[in-house]
């Protein structure tokens, strides 16, 4: 038996598959971020790109980029990514409550529902265990 045969047999590592809650949280985060980013550009452009509209748009897109980065990090077993996805879910829910309560934009409700679902999925015990490497 040579040294090469011994090392190839011992270097195999098993990487566990992500639980369904992690797959769903990353997928929903990507979906709501992509649709929200497109919608922010489209609907801000319909009203005209004023200074206030551009400030809103840049802020929204920056937060969306953070949500997408957190989703990718969660898929790669990062605890910080899980925390980022939870924060993005909280932000989406609070932003929806503001839009429905203050602007009376009922079309934002699905985004709030998805944000709450992402928050719940990323907070599950299986997602926490997955990101801790257990």
């Amino acid at each position: 038996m040579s040294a090469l045969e011994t090392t190839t047999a011992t270097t195999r590592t098993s990487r566990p598959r992500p639980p369904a809650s992690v797959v769903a949280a990353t997928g929903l985060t990507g979906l709501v971020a992509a649709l929200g980013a497109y919608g922010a550009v489209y609907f801000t452009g319909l009203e005209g790109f004023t200074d206030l509209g551009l400030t809103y748009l840049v802020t929204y897109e920056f937060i969306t980029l953070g949500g997408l980065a957190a989703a990718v990090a969660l898929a790669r077993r990062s605890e910080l990514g899980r925390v980022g996805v939870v924060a993005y879910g909280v932000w989406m829910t609070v932003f929806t409550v503001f839009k429905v309560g203050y602007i009376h934009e009922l079309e934002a409700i699905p985004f709030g529902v998805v944000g709450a679902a992402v928050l719940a999925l990323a907070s599950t015990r299986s997602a926490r265990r997955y990101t801790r490497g257990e």
Side-chain angles (χ1 to χ4, degrees):
M1 183 171 213
S2 70
L4 181 59
E5 291 173 11
T6 306
T7 57
T8 56
T10 59
T11 57
R12 287 188 187 168
T13 59
S14 64
R15 185 172 179 157
R17 294 173 53 181
S21 61
V22 170
V23 173
T26 56
L28 286 174
T29 301
L31 180 67
V32 77
L35 288 175
Y38 171 76
V41 172
Y42 180 77
F43 290 112
T44 302
L46 283 178
E47 296 175 4
F49 290 106
T50 63
D51 291 341
L52 183 62
L54 285 174
T55 302
Y56 160 75
L57 185 61
V58 169
T59 304
Y60 190 91
E61 299 299 333
F62 183 75
I63 293 171
T64 298
L65 185 60
L68 286 173
V72 170
L74 174 60
R76 296 180 55 115
R77 297 187 74 161
S78 169
E79 179 66 24
L80 186 59
R82 189 186 69 79
V83 172
V85 169
V86 167
Y88 187 72
V90 168
W91 181 81
M92 283 300 296
T93 305
V94 170
F95 187 63
T96 299
V97 168
F98 169 76
K99 287 181 87 171
V100 170
Y102 185 71
I103 303 174
H104 305 293
E105 186 178 313
L106 298 178
E107 296 84 7
I109 291 175
F111 287 92
V113 170
V114 171
V118 164
L119 173 62
L121 289 166
S123 299
T124 61
R125 181 178 295 151
S126 61
R128 289 191 310 264
R129 263 192 258 133
Y130 176 72
T131 57
R132 282 190 227 134
E134 296 176 7

